[in-house]
Amino acid sequence: MTEPPRDTHFGFRTVDLDAKQGMVDDVFRSVARRYDLMNDLMSGGLHRAWKDALVTAVNPPRGEQPFRLIDVAGGTGDIAFRVIAAGGTETRATVCDINGEMLAVGRERAAERGLDATVAFVEGNAEALPFPDRSFDAYTIAFGIRNVPRIDAALKEAFRVLKLGGHFLCLEFSTVDVPGLDTLYDLYSFNVIPALGRSVAGDAEAYRYLVESIRRFPKPSDFAAVIAAAGFRRVGAQPLTGGIVALHSGWRL
Ligand code: SAM
């Protein structure tokens, strides 16, 4: 029997599969309080449009039909709050994240918005979700999957916790395929983002990791094959903003 690979990548560095999660956790622990501000600064507000595209695809019912969303790697709750705002009276969201600091910021934001009863925050690993089979109507993961060491395990878990007919949606940085934009994007990512990370979040290294991990992520057609291997059907990807981001989707049918 062949041993499964023990190595993965942390940005451009090759690291042990088990070491990666601890390094990722350090990154998000360090930036949790400034995370939302940094998103706006780094993307020039574009992350809001990308998240709107995700929520449109989730398409929660507007009436009184019950709808259960799980937002994995949901951090400070941004996606969950948007889905609740778009959905009807019986829409509920569970934010699951491995990092207690990110969840603590999310809980404070939920309390400020009066959403304590509609959004739950649960600490858990995307690779082994603490929920029963077939619990949710939709599973979202935004800018989270590339941080997970065993992506295939996370996708299998997504499939397991979705009900039959459930929708898997993944927003992730992707491959820029517009000539000219790719050069600009490189200059911006490797220079401006770490500088912003240093001055605003006090951690340039954390943001260097984020940029490097984006470059290592598979292109949409390769990632579609990984999603399909987890059991999903009607797998597709929609590039947004010249491919800076892609919205991947699949169904449990
Ligand atoms: N989805 C949020 C958003 O779009 O604003 C947060 C995205 S943030 C870039 C990535 C999140 O992934 C962090 O909150 C981090 O703690 C979480 N994360 C990393 N590894 C994880 C894992 N194995 N299981 C669950 N969450 C994880």
Side-chain angles (χ1 to χ4, degrees):
M1 225 173 76
T2 52
E3 286 283 310
R6 297 299 314 151
D7 288 341
T8 185
H9 293 98
F10 178 76
F12 289 162
R13 288 157 61 192
T14 300
V15 297
D16 181 78
L17 204 47
D18 293 323
K20 171 168 170 161
Q21 189 69 62
M23 295 163 124
V24 166
D25 293 349
D26 288 345
V27 166
F28 290 103
R29 200 170 301 119
S30 127
V31 303
R33 292 270 148 205
R34 291 291 173 100
Y35 178 76
D36 294 291
L37 170 66
M38 277 301 289
N39 269 352
D40 269 330
L41 290 175
M42 281 184 330
S43 73
L46 271 174
H47 76 108
R48 293 166 184 266
W50 299 328
K51 287 173 175 172
D52 283 347
L54 171 64
V55 173
T56 301
V58 171
N59 193 23
R62 311 289 184 277
E64 294 176 0
Q65 199 182 322
F67 185 81
R68 298 280 173 275
L69 168 81
I70 178 166
D71 183 41
V72 174
T76 57
D78 218 13
I79 303 298
F81 299 148
R82 287 164 192 269
V83 171
I84 293 294
T89 54
E90 298 307 311
T91 298
R92 299 285 179 275
T94 300
V95 176
C96 179
D97 199 285
I98 203 163
N99 197 310
E101 274 83 349
M102 294 288 279
L103 291 171
V105 176
R107 277 193 200 98
E108 285 168 22
R109 292 176 75 198
E112 283 161 18
R113 293 162 191 229
L115 292 176
D116 317 55
T118 40
V119 182
F121 291 85
V122 177
E123 202 165 315
N125 189 338
E127 296 176 3
L129 293 172
F131 307 102
D133 297 358
R134 301 185 185 194
S135 305
F136 298 98
D137 299 289
Y139 172 113
T140 51
I141 183 162
F143 308 114
I145 197 99
R146 72 174 191 284
N147 297 300
V148 175
R150 297 167 185 84
I151 290 177
D152 51 345
L155 293 172
K156 278 190 192 130
E157 280 293 88
F159 189 83
R160 182 184 68 75
V161 300
L162 275 172
K163 297 176 187 171
L164 280 182
H167 201 179
F168 167 82
L169 287 153
C170 170
L171 197 59
E172 191 48 89
F173 289 105
S174 191
T175 316
V176 175
D177 53 6
V178 177
L181 181 62
D182 49 359
T183 318
L184 265 178
Y185 182 58
D186 270 353
L187 279 171
Y188 180 76
S189 320
F190 287 106
N191 298 290
V192 181
I193 290 184
L196 273 174
R198 184 181 308 111
S199 56
V200 182
D203 194 336
E205 275 316 302
Y207 282 90
R208 200 177 313 284
Y209 154 71
L210 292 181
V211 172
E212 291 175 1
S213 66
I214 289 167
R215 296 315 153 89
R216 290 217 63 94
F217 195 72
K219 61 181 199 290
S221 54
D222 293 338
F223 189 47
V226 184
I227 295 171
F232 289 104
R233 299 285 174 264
R234 289 167 53 199
V235 173
Q238 179 194 349
L240 304 172
T241 322
I244 293 179
V245 162
L247 177 57
H248 305 270
S249 76
W251 294 83
R252 178 169 186 178
L253 296 176

